[in-house]
Amino acid sequence: MEIQLSNRVQEVLGIQYPIVQAAMNWITDANFVASVSNAGGMGVIGPNAGPVEDTDLSSTGKLRNEIRKIKDLTDKPFALNTFFPPDGDVETENYSLKLLNVAFEEGVKYFVAVGSINKRLIKAIKNQGAILIVRELTPTVEGAKLAESLGADILIATGYDEGGWIPQKAIGTFSIVSTIVDAVNIPVLATGGINDIRAVRAAFALGAEGVYVGTRFIVSEECPAADETKQDIIKSTGTDLILVSNTQRSTPNHFAKTLEKMRQNGSTSDEIDSLIAQSGGLLPGMRKGNSHEGIVSVNTAIDRIKEIKSVQQIVDELMKDFK
Ligand SMILES: Cc1cc2nc3c(=O)[nH]c(=O)nc-3n(C[C@H](O)[C@H](O)[C@H](O)COP(=O)(O)O)c2cc1C
């Protein structure tokens, strides 16, 4: 397969290589995001980014601080992750808008919207003349077409292989990418299990024009995940992973094994998800390295991850064909 050195993703996002770092709750900060952008990809600042202990700052104050720090560290494009609830969930829309307004004031020009296809929030972003990447949590042809018709610039096709909140249909990356590519005319990023150059090549063979990479970047020097968490990912294998609920998987740490037993004893998927949320979501397991109180959420391709590397090394390896 011939790889084009430049494509629409690079052009629309103004980046050197068609790689976007995925949004990840609690484990992004200014240094990590800027290092991805400085390496030639696009960094994305995720929810709860920045310091963990900043209790004196509101969520908007914390976000503003982190955006300003990114701007000090890079003059390259970076994006903000924003959550899109279903149309009509006004309370959540208002919360997302509050954070979006901070980003607009700070001059952020790129957004990765995740969740449902929300008309009001798409309009708010497009009215700013900003670039919008849309990721439906469970990708559908209808959602992809709707997002395109409402002005989305790029779509993300998420496979069941991904880390984080997994799609509600067990359709792997190999299947979903071409389905979404065939449904729309705008460029598509592939995501889910892309941890080495072979997976990048596969994504392009399926019609993607870029990759959206989460798990591989966790095991980087710059990612603020705990060192214990990074080591846990290196030593775990794909077949070890535990599907703790219908939406979350984890390395087989102490907490995940406890949840697995609870599930076998009759706890529902929703009960397990709320227990994880009560325990602090991804904060304890991912950021603090506390394997007794949190899961370690990763993709199914972790066998490819053998060592901690710098963000630059990871980008260079995954983007070797584009040099
Ligand atoms: C630890 C972790 C936390 C995540 N948190 C978020 C999040 O807060 N918001 C979001 O839109 N996606 C989140 N995701 C999903 C990623 O943005 C992305 O879809 C996924 O990591 C890509 O798949 P990969 O892990 O196979 O590379 C998270 C993923 C991981 C691994």
Side-chain angles (χ1 to χ4, degrees), residues 22-27 46-47 81-82 112 114 135 137 158 161-165 191-195 212-216 218 282 286 297-300:
M24 293 185 282
N25 203 351
W26 287 113
I27 54 169
N81 178 230
T82 177
V112 179
V114 176
R135 183 169 87 84
L137 271 177
T158 307
D161 325 42
E162 75 154 344
W165 195 261
T191 196
I194 299 172
N195 293 347
Y212 187 68
V213 174
T215 301
R216 174 60 266 201
I218 300 173
L282 295 182
M286 307 293 311
S297 174
V298 290
N299 68 31
T300 53

PDB file of all heavy atoms in Angstrom, residues 22-27 46-47 81-82 112 114 135 137 158 161-165 191-195 212-216 218 282 286 297-300, ligand 1:
ATOM      1  N   ALA A  22      -5.292  10.655  22.241  1.00  0.00           N
ATOM      2  CA  ALA A  22      -6.678  10.561  22.710  1.00  0.00           C
ATOM      3  C   ALA A  22      -6.850  11.238  24.071  1.00  0.00           C
ATOM      4  O   ALA A  22      -5.953  11.230  24.914  1.00  0.00           O
ATOM      5  CB  ALA A  22      -7.082   9.094  22.816  1.00  0.00           C
ATOM      6  N   ALA A  23      -8.056  11.787  24.262  1.00  0.00           N
ATOM      7  CA  ALA A  23      -8.411  12.381  25.556  1.00  0.00           C
ATOM      8  C   ALA A  23      -8.471  11.279  26.605  1.00  0.00           C
ATOM      9  O   ALA A  23      -8.993  10.201  26.336  1.00  0.00           O
ATOM     10  CB  ALA A  23      -9.785  13.031  25.433  1.00  0.00           C
ATOM     11  N   MET A  24      -7.920  11.546  27.783  1.00  0.00           N
ATOM     12  CA  MET A  24      -7.987  10.519  28.837  1.00  0.00           C
ATOM     13  C   MET A  24      -8.203  11.192  30.185  1.00  0.00           C
ATOM     14  O   MET A  24      -7.423  12.045  30.604  1.00  0.00           O
ATOM     15  CB  MET A  24      -6.710   9.668  28.824  1.00  0.00           C
ATOM     16  CG  MET A  24      -6.593   8.815  27.565  1.00  0.00           C
ATOM     17  SD  MET A  24      -5.185   7.708  27.567  1.00  0.00           S
ATOM     18  CE  MET A  24      -3.850   8.827  27.146  1.00  0.00           C
ATOM     19  N   ASN A  25      -9.279  10.768  30.855  1.00  0.00           N
ATOM     20  CA  ASN A  25      -9.669  11.371  32.126  1.00  0.00           C
ATOM     21  C   ASN A  25      -8.544  11.252  33.162  1.00  0.00           C
ATOM     22  O   ASN A  25      -7.989  10.171  33.341  1.00  0.00           O
ATOM     23  CB  ASN A  25     -10.938  10.665  32.621  1.00  0.00           C
ATOM     24  CG  ASN A  25     -11.734  11.528  33.578  1.00  0.00           C
ATOM     25  OD1 ASN A  25     -11.278  12.586  34.016  1.00  0.00           O
ATOM     26  ND2 ASN A  25     -12.917  11.075  33.916  1.00  0.00           N
ATOM     27  N   TRP A  26      -8.202  12.326  33.808  1.00  0.00           N
ATOM     28  CA  TRP A  26      -7.234  12.425  34.891  1.00  0.00           C
ATOM     29  C   TRP A  26      -5.769  12.308  34.458  1.00  0.00           C
ATOM     30  O   TRP A  26      -4.882  12.637  35.221  1.00  0.00           O
ATOM     31  CB  TRP A  26      -7.484  11.372  36.003  1.00  0.00           C
ATOM     32  CG  TRP A  26      -8.673  11.694  36.838  1.00  0.00           C
ATOM     33  CD1 TRP A  26      -9.844  10.996  36.903  1.00  0.00           C
ATOM     34  CD2 TRP A  26      -8.824  12.802  37.732  1.00  0.00           C
ATOM     35  NE1 TRP A  26     -10.712  11.596  37.759  1.00  0.00           N
ATOM     36  CE2 TRP A  26     -10.118  12.704  38.292  1.00  0.00           C
ATOM     37  CE3 TRP A  26      -8.004  13.871  38.105  1.00  0.00           C
ATOM     38  CZ2 TRP A  26     -10.609  13.628  39.210  1.00  0.00           C
ATOM     39  CZ3 TRP A  26      -8.490  14.786  39.015  1.00  0.00           C
ATOM     40  CH2 TRP A  26      -9.778  14.653  39.566  1.00  0.00           C
ATOM     41  N   ILE A  27      -5.496  11.785  33.258  1.00  0.00           N
ATOM     42  CA  ILE A  27      -4.073  11.549  32.967  1.00  0.00           C
ATOM     43  C   ILE A  27      -3.536  12.360  31.785  1.00  0.00           C
ATOM     44  O   ILE A  27      -2.652  11.921  31.076  1.00  0.00           O
ATOM     45  CB  ILE A  27      -3.744  10.045  32.815  1.00  0.00           C
ATOM     46  CG1 ILE A  27      -4.653   9.384  31.773  1.00  0.00           C
ATOM     47  CG2 ILE A  27      -3.857   9.319  34.147  1.00  0.00           C
ATOM     48  CD1 ILE A  27      -4.188   7.969  31.399  1.00  0.00           C
ATOM     49  N   GLY A  46      -7.617  16.528  28.260  1.00  0.00           N
ATOM     50  CA  GLY A  46      -8.806  15.761  28.629  1.00  0.00           C
ATOM     51  C   GLY A  46      -9.459  16.277  29.900  1.00  0.00           C
ATOM     52  O   GLY A  46      -8.972  17.229  30.516  1.00  0.00           O
ATOM     53  N   PRO A  47     -10.559  15.631  30.310  1.00  0.00           N
ATOM     54  CA  PRO A  47     -11.240  16.057  31.533  1.00  0.00           C
ATOM     55  C   PRO A  47     -10.344  15.886  32.765  1.00  0.00           C
ATOM     56  O   PRO A  47      -9.553  14.948  32.821  1.00  0.00           O
ATOM     57  CB  PRO A  47     -12.449  15.129  31.629  1.00  0.00           C
ATOM     58  CG  PRO A  47     -12.411  14.232  30.461  1.00  0.00           C
ATOM     59  CD  PRO A  47     -11.181  14.479  29.678  1.00  0.00           C
ATOM     60  N   ASN A  81     -10.831  18.327  24.796  1.00  0.00           N
ATOM     61  CA  ASN A  81     -11.874  17.303  24.780  1.00  0.00           C
ATOM     62  C   ASN A  81     -13.122  17.854  25.459  1.00  0.00           C
ATOM     63  O   ASN A  81     -13.043  18.471  26.516  1.00  0.00           O
ATOM     64  CB  ASN A  81     -11.364  16.073  25.544  1.00  0.00           C
ATOM     65  CG  ASN A  81     -12.388  14.961  25.636  1.00  0.00           C
ATOM     66  OD1 ASN A  81     -12.634  14.443  26.709  1.00  0.00           O
ATOM     67  ND2 ASN A  81     -12.980  14.570  24.541  1.00  0.00           N
ATOM     68  N   THR A  82     -14.281  17.639  24.819  1.00  0.00           N
ATOM     69  CA  THR A  82     -15.517  18.095  25.442  1.00  0.00           C
ATOM     70  C   THR A  82     -16.565  16.985  25.348  1.00  0.00           C
ATOM     71  O   THR A  82     -16.551  16.212  24.395  1.00  0.00           O
ATOM     72  CB  THR A  82     -16.025  19.392  24.779  1.00  0.00           C
ATOM     73  OG1 THR A  82     -17.257  19.770  25.367  1.00  0.00           O
ATOM     74  CG2 THR A  82     -16.245  19.233  23.280  1.00  0.00           C
ATOM     75  N   VAL A 112     -12.260  18.080  20.393  1.00  0.00           N
ATOM     76  CA  VAL A 112     -12.637  16.677  20.187  1.00  0.00           C
ATOM     77  C   VAL A 112     -13.875  16.434  21.045  1.00  0.00           C
ATOM     78  O   VAL A 112     -13.791  16.433  22.277  1.00  0.00           O
ATOM     79  CB  VAL A 112     -11.512  15.711  20.620  1.00  0.00           C
ATOM     80  CG1 VAL A 112     -11.963  14.259  20.418  1.00  0.00           C
ATOM     81  CG2 VAL A 112     -10.228  15.975  19.856  1.00  0.00           C
ATOM     82  N   VAL A 114     -16.906  14.159  22.382  1.00  0.00           N
ATOM     83  CA  VAL A 114     -17.148  12.725  22.574  1.00  0.00           C
ATOM     84  C   VAL A 114     -18.503  12.515  23.243  1.00  0.00           C
ATOM     85  O   VAL A 114     -18.854  13.238  24.175  1.00  0.00           O
ATOM     86  CB  VAL A 114     -16.026  12.104  23.430  1.00  0.00           C
ATOM     87  CG1 VAL A 114     -16.312  10.642  23.711  1.00  0.00           C
ATOM     88  CG2 VAL A 114     -14.699  12.241  22.708  1.00  0.00           C
ATOM     89  N   ARG A 135     -16.452  12.157  18.055  1.00  0.00           N
ATOM     90  CA  ARG A 135     -16.354  10.714  18.335  1.00  0.00           C
ATOM     91  C   ARG A 135     -17.620  10.263  19.047  1.00  0.00           C
ATOM     92  O   ARG A 135     -17.832  10.599  20.225  1.00  0.00           O
ATOM     93  CB  ARG A 135     -15.123  10.428  19.211  1.00  0.00           C
ATOM     94  CG  ARG A 135     -14.920   8.945  19.477  1.00  0.00           C
ATOM     95  CD  ARG A 135     -13.570   8.665  20.102  1.00  0.00           C
ATOM     96  NE  ARG A 135     -13.566   8.781  21.544  1.00  0.00           N
ATOM     97  CZ  ARG A 135     -13.936   7.820  22.386  1.00  0.00           C
ATOM     98  NH1 ARG A 135     -14.345   6.655  21.931  1.00  0.00           N
ATOM     99  NH2 ARG A 135     -13.888   8.013  23.691  1.00  0.00           N
ATOM    100  N   LEU A 137     -19.621   7.711  21.086  1.00  0.00           N
ATOM    101  CA  LEU A 137     -19.091   6.670  21.980  1.00  0.00           C
ATOM    102  C   LEU A 137     -19.296   5.283  21.385  1.00  0.00           C
ATOM    103  O   LEU A 137     -18.390   4.445  21.417  1.00  0.00           O
ATOM    104  CB  LEU A 137     -19.759   6.759  23.346  1.00  0.00           C
ATOM    105  CG  LEU A 137     -19.091   7.682  24.369  1.00  0.00           C
ATOM    106  CD1 LEU A 137     -19.903   7.721  25.654  1.00  0.00           C
ATOM    107  CD2 LEU A 137     -17.652   7.284  24.660  1.00  0.00           C
ATOM    108  N   THR A 158     -14.447   4.429  16.489  1.00  0.00           N
ATOM    109  CA  THR A 158     -13.896   3.744  17.655  1.00  0.00           C
ATOM    110  C   THR A 158     -14.226   2.262  17.650  1.00  0.00           C
ATOM    111  O   THR A 158     -15.406   1.883  17.627  1.00  0.00           O
ATOM    112  CB  THR A 158     -14.478   4.353  18.959  1.00  0.00           C
ATOM    113  OG1 THR A 158     -14.284   5.764  18.931  1.00  0.00           O
ATOM    114  CG2 THR A 158     -13.812   3.760  20.183  1.00  0.00           C
ATOM    115  N   ASP A 161     -11.910  -2.569  20.654  1.00  0.00           N
ATOM    116  CA  ASP A 161     -10.574  -2.838  21.206  1.00  0.00           C
ATOM    117  C   ASP A 161     -10.071  -1.712  22.118  1.00  0.00           C
ATOM    118  O   ASP A 161      -9.078  -1.880  22.812  1.00  0.00           O
ATOM    119  CB  ASP A 161      -9.540  -2.966  20.063  1.00  0.00           C
ATOM    120  CG  ASP A 161     -10.055  -3.614  18.798  1.00  0.00           C
ATOM    121  OD1 ASP A 161     -11.189  -3.299  18.383  1.00  0.00           O
ATOM    122  OD2 ASP A 161      -9.315  -4.399  18.212  1.00  0.00           O
ATOM    123  N   GLU A 162     -10.711  -0.557  22.080  1.00  0.00           N
ATOM    124  CA  GLU A 162     -10.140   0.636  22.736  1.00  0.00           C
ATOM    125  C   GLU A 162     -10.078   0.549  24.265  1.00  0.00           C
ATOM    126  O   GLU A 162     -10.776  -0.258  24.888  1.00  0.00           O
ATOM    127  CB  GLU A 162     -10.972   1.878  22.373  1.00  0.00           C
ATOM    128  CG  GLU A 162     -12.287   1.931  23.106  1.00  0.00           C
ATOM    129  CD  GLU A 162     -12.850   3.343  23.292  1.00  0.00           C
ATOM    130  OE1 GLU A 162     -12.135   4.334  23.132  1.00  0.00           O
ATOM    131  OE2 GLU A 162     -14.042   3.427  23.631  1.00  0.00           O
ATOM    132  N   GLY A 163      -9.253   1.422  24.840  1.00  0.00           N
ATOM    133  CA  GLY A 163      -9.266   1.628  26.287  1.00  0.00           C
ATOM    134  C   GLY A 163     -10.289   2.700  26.621  1.00  0.00           C
ATOM    135  O   GLY A 163     -10.762   3.399  25.744  1.00  0.00           O
ATOM    136  N   GLY A 164     -10.631   2.828  27.905  1.00  0.00           N
ATOM    137  CA  GLY A 164     -11.629   3.836  28.300  1.00  0.00           C
ATOM    138  C   GLY A 164     -13.024   3.235  28.321  1.00  0.00           C
ATOM    139  O   GLY A 164     -13.202   2.051  28.596  1.00  0.00           O
ATOM    140  N   TRP A 165     -14.018   4.080  28.018  1.00  0.00           N
ATOM    141  CA  TRP A 165     -15.439   3.689  28.071  1.00  0.00           C
ATOM    142  C   TRP A 165     -15.772   3.011  26.753  1.00  0.00           C
ATOM    143  O   TRP A 165     -15.941   3.687  25.739  1.00  0.00           O
ATOM    144  CB  TRP A 165     -16.273   4.955  28.276  1.00  0.00           C
ATOM    145  CG  TRP A 165     -17.677   4.750  28.708  1.00  0.00           C
ATOM    146  CD1 TRP A 165     -18.791   4.772  27.920  1.00  0.00           C
ATOM    147  CD2 TRP A 165     -18.128   4.522  30.043  1.00  0.00           C
ATOM    148  NE1 TRP A 165     -19.903   4.549  28.686  1.00  0.00           N
ATOM    149  CE2 TRP A 165     -19.531   4.404  29.994  1.00  0.00           C
ATOM    150  CE3 TRP A 165     -17.481   4.389  31.284  1.00  0.00           C
ATOM    151  CZ2 TRP A 165     -20.298   4.163  31.126  1.00  0.00           C
ATOM    152  CZ3 TRP A 165     -18.255   4.160  32.405  1.00  0.00           C
ATOM    153  CH2 TRP A 165     -19.642   4.053  32.323  1.00  0.00           C
ATOM    154  N   THR A 191      -9.514   4.536  15.812  1.00  0.00           N
ATOM    155  CA  THR A 191      -9.035   4.363  17.182  1.00  0.00           C
ATOM    156  C   THR A 191      -9.454   3.012  17.747  1.00  0.00           C
ATOM    157  O   THR A 191     -10.479   2.446  17.371  1.00  0.00           O
ATOM    158  CB  THR A 191      -9.496   5.504  18.108  1.00  0.00           C
ATOM    159  OG1 THR A 191      -8.704   5.467  19.287  1.00  0.00           O
ATOM    160  CG2 THR A 191     -10.958   5.386  18.510  1.00  0.00           C
ATOM    161  N   GLY A 192      -8.611   2.526  18.682  1.00  0.00           N
ATOM    162  CA  GLY A 192      -8.887   1.257  19.344  1.00  0.00           C
ATOM    163  C   GLY A 192      -7.805   0.241  19.049  1.00  0.00           C
ATOM    164  O   GLY A 192      -7.810  -0.404  17.999  1.00  0.00           O
ATOM    165  N   GLY A 193      -6.839   0.138  19.969  1.00  0.00           N
ATOM    166  CA  GLY A 193      -5.821  -0.909  19.832  1.00  0.00           C
ATOM    167  C   GLY A 193      -4.646  -0.541  18.945  1.00  0.00           C
ATOM    168  O   GLY A 193      -3.905  -1.420  18.513  1.00  0.00           O
ATOM    169  N   ILE A 194      -4.451   0.749  18.687  1.00  0.00           N
ATOM    170  CA  ILE A 194      -3.348   1.140  17.791  1.00  0.00           C
ATOM    171  C   ILE A 194      -2.113   1.450  18.651  1.00  0.00           C
ATOM    172  O   ILE A 194      -1.957   2.548  19.185  1.00  0.00           O
ATOM    173  CB  ILE A 194      -3.767   2.335  16.907  1.00  0.00           C
ATOM    174  CG1 ILE A 194      -4.964   1.906  16.055  1.00  0.00           C
ATOM    175  CG2 ILE A 194      -2.584   2.785  16.024  1.00  0.00           C
ATOM    176  CD1 ILE A 194      -5.617   3.014  15.275  1.00  0.00           C
ATOM    177  N   ASN A 195      -1.249   0.450  18.786  1.00  0.00           N
ATOM    178  CA  ASN A 195      -0.086   0.591  19.675  1.00  0.00           C
ATOM    179  C   ASN A 195       1.239   0.439  18.938  1.00  0.00           C
ATOM    180  O   ASN A 195       2.295   0.625  19.549  1.00  0.00           O
ATOM    181  CB  ASN A 195      -0.129  -0.464  20.791  1.00  0.00           C
ATOM    182  CG  ASN A 195      -1.297  -0.232  21.746  1.00  0.00           C
ATOM    183  OD1 ASN A 195      -1.924   0.819  21.724  1.00  0.00           O
ATOM    184  ND2 ASN A 195      -1.586  -1.213  22.574  1.00  0.00           N
ATOM    185  N   TYR A 212      -5.972   7.881  16.272  1.00  0.00           N
ATOM    186  CA  TYR A 212      -6.287   8.539  17.548  1.00  0.00           C
ATOM    187  C   TYR A 212      -5.830   7.549  18.613  1.00  0.00           C
ATOM    188  O   TYR A 212      -6.393   6.458  18.749  1.00  0.00           O
ATOM    189  CB  TYR A 212      -7.795   8.767  17.582  1.00  0.00           C
ATOM    190  CG  TYR A 212      -8.344   9.583  18.725  1.00  0.00           C
ATOM    191  CD1 TYR A 212      -8.065  10.946  18.843  1.00  0.00           C
ATOM    192  CD2 TYR A 212      -9.194   9.005  19.669  1.00  0.00           C
ATOM    193  CE1 TYR A 212      -8.622  11.702  19.866  1.00  0.00           C
ATOM    194  CE2 TYR A 212      -9.750   9.761  20.695  1.00  0.00           C
ATOM    195  CZ  TYR A 212      -9.465  11.106  20.776  1.00  0.00           C
ATOM    196  OH  TYR A 212     -10.014  11.859  21.789  1.00  0.00           O
ATOM    197  N   VAL A 213      -4.778   7.901  19.335  1.00  0.00           N
ATOM    198  CA  VAL A 213      -4.061   6.910  20.140  1.00  0.00           C
ATOM    199  C   VAL A 213      -4.098   7.280  21.626  1.00  0.00           C
ATOM    200  O   VAL A 213      -3.661   8.377  22.005  1.00  0.00           O
ATOM    201  CB  VAL A 213      -2.588   6.811  19.658  1.00  0.00           C
ATOM    202  CG1 VAL A 213      -1.780   5.892  20.563  1.00  0.00           C
ATOM    203  CG2 VAL A 213      -2.539   6.325  18.216  1.00  0.00           C
ATOM    204  N   GLY A 214      -4.622   6.364  22.446  1.00  0.00           N
ATOM    205  CA  GLY A 214      -4.685   6.594  23.884  1.00  0.00           C
ATOM    206  C   GLY A 214      -3.686   5.755  24.645  1.00  0.00           C
ATOM    207  O   GLY A 214      -2.642   6.228  25.111  1.00  0.00           O
ATOM    208  N   THR A 215      -3.992   4.450  24.752  1.00  0.00           N
ATOM    209  CA  THR A 215      -3.225   3.566  25.632  1.00  0.00           C
ATOM    210  C   THR A 215      -1.706   3.638  25.409  1.00  0.00           C
ATOM    211  O   THR A 215      -0.934   3.705  26.369  1.00  0.00           O
ATOM    212  CB  THR A 215      -3.722   2.114  25.457  1.00  0.00           C
ATOM    213  OG1 THR A 215      -5.116   2.066  25.777  1.00  0.00           O
ATOM    214  CG2 THR A 215      -2.970   1.167  26.382  1.00  0.00           C
ATOM    215  N   ARG A 216      -1.269   3.623  24.138  1.00  0.00           N
ATOM    216  CA  ARG A 216       0.200   3.615  23.903  1.00  0.00           C
ATOM    217  C   ARG A 216       0.843   4.858  24.534  1.00  0.00           C
ATOM    218  O   ARG A 216       1.950   4.780  25.083  1.00  0.00           O
ATOM    219  CB  ARG A 216       0.476   3.547  22.394  1.00  0.00           C
ATOM    220  CG  ARG A 216       1.928   3.664  21.939  1.00  0.00           C
ATOM    221  CD  ARG A 216       2.895   2.597  22.467  1.00  0.00           C
ATOM    222  NE  ARG A 216       3.587   3.030  23.662  1.00  0.00           N
ATOM    223  CZ  ARG A 216       4.736   2.552  24.139  1.00  0.00           C
ATOM    224  NH1 ARG A 216       5.363   1.571  23.541  1.00  0.00           N
ATOM    225  NH2 ARG A 216       5.274   3.015  25.244  1.00  0.00           N
ATOM    226  N   ILE A 218      -0.119   6.352  27.229  1.00  0.00           N
ATOM    227  CA  ILE A 218      -0.082   6.310  28.706  1.00  0.00           C
ATOM    228  C   ILE A 218       1.316   5.893  29.159  1.00  0.00           C
ATOM    229  O   ILE A 218       1.863   6.435  30.132  1.00  0.00           O
ATOM    230  CB  ILE A 218      -1.117   5.307  29.283  1.00  0.00           C
ATOM    231  CG1 ILE A 218      -2.538   5.689  28.871  1.00  0.00           C
ATOM    232  CG2 ILE A 218      -1.007   5.234  30.811  1.00  0.00           C
ATOM    233  CD1 ILE A 218      -3.591   4.643  29.274  1.00  0.00           C
ATOM    234  N   LEU A 282     -11.242   7.063  37.351  1.00  0.00           N
ATOM    235  CA  LEU A 282      -9.915   6.625  36.913  1.00  0.00           C
ATOM    236  C   LEU A 282      -8.786   7.273  37.722  1.00  0.00           C
ATOM    237  O   LEU A 282      -7.619   6.990  37.488  1.00  0.00           O
ATOM    238  CB  LEU A 282      -9.735   6.916  35.414  1.00  0.00           C
ATOM    239  CG  LEU A 282     -10.665   6.122  34.488  1.00  0.00           C
ATOM    240  CD1 LEU A 282     -10.378   6.433  33.025  1.00  0.00           C
ATOM    241  CD2 LEU A 282     -10.537   4.618  34.717  1.00  0.00           C
ATOM    242  N   MET A 286      -5.356   4.987  37.749  1.00  0.00           N
ATOM    243  CA  MET A 286      -4.510   5.464  36.649  1.00  0.00           C
ATOM    244  C   MET A 286      -3.496   6.516  37.116  1.00  0.00           C
ATOM    245  O   MET A 286      -2.334   6.471  36.749  1.00  0.00           O
ATOM    246  CB  MET A 286      -5.362   6.107  35.532  1.00  0.00           C
ATOM    247  CG  MET A 286      -6.490   5.301  34.986  1.00  0.00           C
ATOM    248  SD  MET A 286      -6.064   3.811  34.044  1.00  0.00           S
ATOM    249  CE  MET A 286      -4.856   4.295  32.868  1.00  0.00           C
ATOM    250  N   SER A 297      -7.467   1.146  33.020  1.00  0.00           N
ATOM    251  CA  SER A 297      -8.216   1.007  31.777  1.00  0.00           C
ATOM    252  C   SER A 297      -7.269   1.088  30.575  1.00  0.00           C
ATOM    253  O   SER A 297      -6.532   2.062  30.438  1.00  0.00           O
ATOM    254  CB  SER A 297      -9.229   2.154  31.726  1.00  0.00           C
ATOM    255  OG  SER A 297      -9.893   2.168  30.503  1.00  0.00           O
ATOM    256  N   VAL A 298      -7.297   0.056  29.743  1.00  0.00           N
ATOM    257  CA  VAL A 298      -6.365  -0.017  28.600  1.00  0.00           C
ATOM    258  C   VAL A 298      -7.044  -0.697  27.412  1.00  0.00           C
ATOM    259  O   VAL A 298      -8.110  -1.300  27.565  1.00  0.00           O
ATOM    260  CB  VAL A 298      -5.102  -0.857  28.941  1.00  0.00           C
ATOM    261  CG1 VAL A 298      -4.223  -0.142  29.935  1.00  0.00           C
ATOM    262  CG2 VAL A 298      -5.485  -2.252  29.443  1.00  0.00           C
ATOM    263  N   ASN A 299      -6.371  -0.648  26.249  1.00  0.00           N
ATOM    264  CA  ASN A 299      -6.911  -1.351  25.084  1.00  0.00           C
ATOM    265  C   ASN A 299      -6.467  -2.816  25.076  1.00  0.00           C
ATOM    266  O   ASN A 299      -5.665  -3.243  25.919  1.00  0.00           O
ATOM    267  CB  ASN A 299      -6.565  -0.624  23.777  1.00  0.00           C
ATOM    268  CG  ASN A 299      -5.079  -0.656  23.435  1.00  0.00           C
ATOM    269  OD1 ASN A 299      -4.355  -1.594  23.763  1.00  0.00           O
ATOM    270  ND2 ASN A 299      -4.611   0.385  22.762  1.00  0.00           N
ATOM    271  N   THR A 300      -6.991  -3.565  24.088  1.00  0.00           N
ATOM    272  CA  THR A 300      -6.730  -5.008  24.067  1.00  0.00           C
ATOM    273  C   THR A 300      -5.390  -5.353  23.412  1.00  0.00           C
ATOM    274  O   THR A 300      -5.035  -6.525  23.334  1.00  0.00           O
ATOM    275  CB  THR A 300      -7.852  -5.739  23.291  1.00  0.00           C
ATOM    276  OG1 THR A 300      -7.988  -5.126  22.000  1.00  0.00           O
ATOM    277  CG2 THR A 300      -9.176  -5.665  24.025  1.00  0.00           C
TER     278      THR A 300
HETATM  279  C1  LIG B   1      -7.398   5.626  30.797  1.00  0.00           C
HETATM  280  C2  LIG B   1      -8.301   6.133  29.744  1.00  0.00           C
HETATM  281  C3  LIG B   1      -9.144   7.197  30.022  1.00  0.00           C
HETATM  282  C4  LIG B   1      -9.996   7.701  29.043  1.00  0.00           C
HETATM  283  N1  LIG B   1     -10.772   8.784  29.341  1.00  0.00           N
HETATM  284  C5  LIG B   1     -11.481   9.377  28.347  1.00  0.00           C
HETATM  285  C6  LIG B   1     -12.180  10.581  28.584  1.00  0.00           C
HETATM  286  O1  LIG B   1     -12.178  11.119  29.681  1.00  0.00           O
HETATM  287  N2  LIG B   1     -12.859  11.137  27.571  1.00  0.00           N
HETATM  288  C7  LIG B   1     -12.894  10.571  26.328  1.00  0.00           C
HETATM  289  O2  LIG B   1     -13.512  11.129  25.442  1.00  0.00           O
HETATM  290  N3  LIG B   1     -12.256   9.412  26.076  1.00  0.00           N
HETATM  291  C8  LIG B   1     -11.538   8.821  27.048  1.00  0.00           C
HETATM  292  N4  LIG B   1     -10.843   7.666  26.793  1.00  0.00           N
HETATM  293  C9  LIG B   1     -10.909   7.061  25.456  1.00  0.00           C
HETATM  294  C10 LIG B   1      -9.820   7.615  24.569  1.00  0.00           C
HETATM  295  O3  LIG B   1     -10.029   8.968  24.291  1.00  0.00           O
HETATM  296  C11 LIG B   1      -9.695   6.839  23.257  1.00  0.00           C
HETATM  297  O4  LIG B   1     -10.941   6.702  22.663  1.00  0.00           O
HETATM  298  C12 LIG B   1      -9.080   5.490  23.454  1.00  0.00           C
HETATM  299  O5  LIG B   1      -8.087   5.505  24.413  1.00  0.00           O
HETATM  300  C13 LIG B   1      -8.471   5.079  22.147  1.00  0.00           C
HETATM  301  O6  LIG B   1      -8.151   3.762  22.156  1.00  0.00           O
HETATM  302  P1  LIG B   1      -6.738   3.127  22.575  1.00  0.00           P
HETATM  303  O7  LIG B   1      -6.689   3.224  24.049  1.00  0.00           O
HETATM  304  O8  LIG B   1      -6.934   1.776  22.054  1.00  0.00           O
HETATM  305  O9  LIG B   1      -5.635   3.871  21.902  1.00  0.00           O
HETATM  306  C14 LIG B   1     -10.003   7.122  27.758  1.00  0.00           C
HETATM  307  C15 LIG B   1      -9.144   6.051  27.483  1.00  0.00           C
HETATM  308  C16 LIG B   1      -8.305   5.556  28.457  1.00  0.00           C
HETATM  309  C17 LIG B   1      -7.378   4.423  28.118  1.00  0.00           C
END
